[in-house]
Amino acid sequence: MFENLSDKLDRAFKVLKGQGTITEINVAETMKEIRKALLDADVNYKTAKTFTDEVRQKALGENVLTSISPGQLLTKIMNDELTALMGGSTSEVNFPATPTIILIAGLNGAGKTTFSGKLANFLKTQKNKKPLLVAGDVYRPAAIDQLEVLGQQIGIPVYANRETTDPIAIAREGVALAKQNNNNVVIIDTAGRLAIDEAMMQEIEQVKAAVNPHEILFVVDAMTGQDAVNTAKVFNDRLDFTGAVLTKLDGDTRGGAALSIKSVVNKPIKFIGTGEKMEALDVFHPDRMASRILG
Ligand code: GDP
């Protein structure tokens, strides 16, 4: 994860680490290298610029120039700023009601169905919840089968209705069933849509209006970098989602999406997917991720 970015940042720091005396010029050069590393990682341009300006100011303010170990001090500042950039503290799912309704949204192939299963499994095994999965991807019949297979695998009930192609009806029925069966969490998988597909975007807005979810999690493939961030913007404008889920981080060497999403849409990353298996899900911890990036 993020090997490429880590390597480049490490190289950027080398200038300062080896230096006996540090000048403002060294700091400025290092910042330029860091900005380049961030842009190479597909970090949003404005995000990268604001970030390096901020780090530079802090570095000069905290007397990096006269410090005995400027490299170390700068690493600490970078660590704090990267953590802040990714949201500061951990933001988890809230359970304000019974049942808590969680709507899953995102593009085709982002990993929604897989994440729905992973989330149900996580809530059952780690949070002692009793979830119901709802198969709302009516346009891809295989998605219903896929969710049913996952449900069986992790021992979680799945509500599907192959008699209708109305995702609003299915979502409503799913919530009603959860109440009847005492499921305290309902996770509604939805059809993938292209952000430009107006009819599909309206449809998910209608699902939202019909069931009034407590959480809307926007699932996005981290490997798509800036596209992930642009898609997040479109979905957030339409759905005002409560959190993002970055999938396929196991294959993401650059990290651009992880570093940009919070600052661009101002919504926290709540979970990260790190593989295809049901256990390959982690709560997102900005501080741990920052340390990992800095190596
Ligand atoms: P959906 O169309 O959004 O429902 O996407 P799917 O859940 O069907 O996932 C699309 C593909 O991505 C499948 O082959 C999944 O196994 C794979 N996938 C999902 N999440 C991850 C992840 O975190 N890491 C990896 N490597 N693959 C993933």
Side-chain angles (χ1 to χ4, degrees):
M1 201 191 290
F2 304 164
E3 302 84 354
N4 211 327
L5 174 62
S6 297
D7 277 358
K8 288 201 167 121
L9 286 178
D10 198 42
R11 250 175 275 151
F13 277 130
K14 285 248 156 68
V15 185
L16 275 196
K17 276 184 181 155
Q19 219 87 30
T21 39
I22 301 296
T23 64
E24 243 177 87
I25 296 169
N26 296 143
V27 175
E29 267 169 12
T30 302
M31 288 309 127
K32 221 165 99 189
E33 289 301 310
I34 288 173
R35 191 182 303 179
K36 236 169 70 194
L38 293 174
L39 293 177
D40 278 353
D42 212 11
V43 170
N44 174 276
Y45 179 79
K46 236 175 84 189
T47 305
K49 183 172 185 323
T50 314
F51 177 81
T52 41
D53 286 349
E54 198 105 327
V55 172
R56 186 171 160 273
Q57 251 180 17
K58 288 243 160 81
L60 296 177
E62 287 188 26
N63 297 327
V64 155
L65 299 186
T66 50
S67 131
I68 356 166
S69 48
Q72 253 178 32
L73 184 54
L74 196 67
T75 307
K76 191 198 166 294
I77 295 170
M78 276 283 287
N79 200 317
D80 291 350
E81 291 296 309
L82 275 179
T83 303
L85 184 66
M86 289 185 284
S89 54
T90 301
S91 177
E92 283 201 58
V93 166
N94 302 304
F95 302 98
T98 307
T100 291
I101 301 168
I102 305 175
L103 187 66
I104 311 297
L107 298 182
N108 269 326
K112 290 178 302 300
T113 303
T114 307
F115 170 70
S116 298
K118 285 179 179 177
L119 179 65
N121 185 49
F122 169 82
L123 295 180
K124 177 185 166 182
T125 56
Q126 316 276 318
K127 302 280 172 185
N128 219 0
K129 298 285 178 193
K130 204 179 154 218
L132 172 72
L133 282 161
V134 177
D137 185 352
V138 290
Y139 301 107
R140 188 166 67 95
I144 302 176
D145 303 339
Q146 189 185 339
L147 198 65
E148 283 181 335
V149 169
L150 290 178
Q152 235 166 31
Q153 194 185 317
I154 55 183
I156 287 179
V158 175
Y159 174 70
N161 180 354
R162 289 177 171 81
E163 307 291 302
T164 173
T165 53
D166 177 2
I168 299 154
I170 292 173
R172 281 208 180 103
E173 289 162 10
V175 173
L177 183 70
K179 285 179 183 159
Q180 205 179 306
N181 291 353
N182 289 324
N183 293 107
N184 47 19
V185 182
V186 189
I187 300 168
I188 306 172
D189 187 18
T190 63
R193 55 209 71 229
L194 297 171
I196 45 165
D197 188 332
E198 180 55 27
M200 293 278 279
M201 287 306 272
Q202 277 180 16
E203 188 186 86
I204 197 160
E205 282 176 326
Q206 286 163 5
V207 174
K208 176 185 173 184
V211 298
N212 226 340
H214 306 96
E215 288 271 356
I216 302 175
L217 297 177
F218 166 69
V219 179
V220 68
D221 178 343
M223 289 200 286
T224 60
Q226 274 311 287
D227 280 345
V229 178
N230 294 333
T231 312
K233 227 157 54 187
V234 175
F235 272 77
N236 193 47
D237 287 347
R238 299 300 290 259
L239 289 177
D240 190 18
F241 60 72
T242 55
V245 177
L246 287 186
T247 62
K248 310 184 196 181
L249 243 74
D250 46 314
D252 181 18
T253 60
R254 306 202 295 165
L259 287 176
S260 315
I261 278 195
K262 176 66 172 56
S263 72
V264 175
V265 295
N266 199 26
K267 292 290 166 68
I269 298 170
K270 293 203 172 184
F271 293 98
I272 52 175
T274 55
E276 295 187 80
K277 296 220 170 78
M278 282 296 96
E279 297 74 31
L281 180 75
D282 287 313
V283 169
F284 183 67
H285 299 289
D287 52 346
R288 288 187 209 167
M289 193 54 87
S291 308
R292 192 169 184 155
I293 290 170
L294 293 174

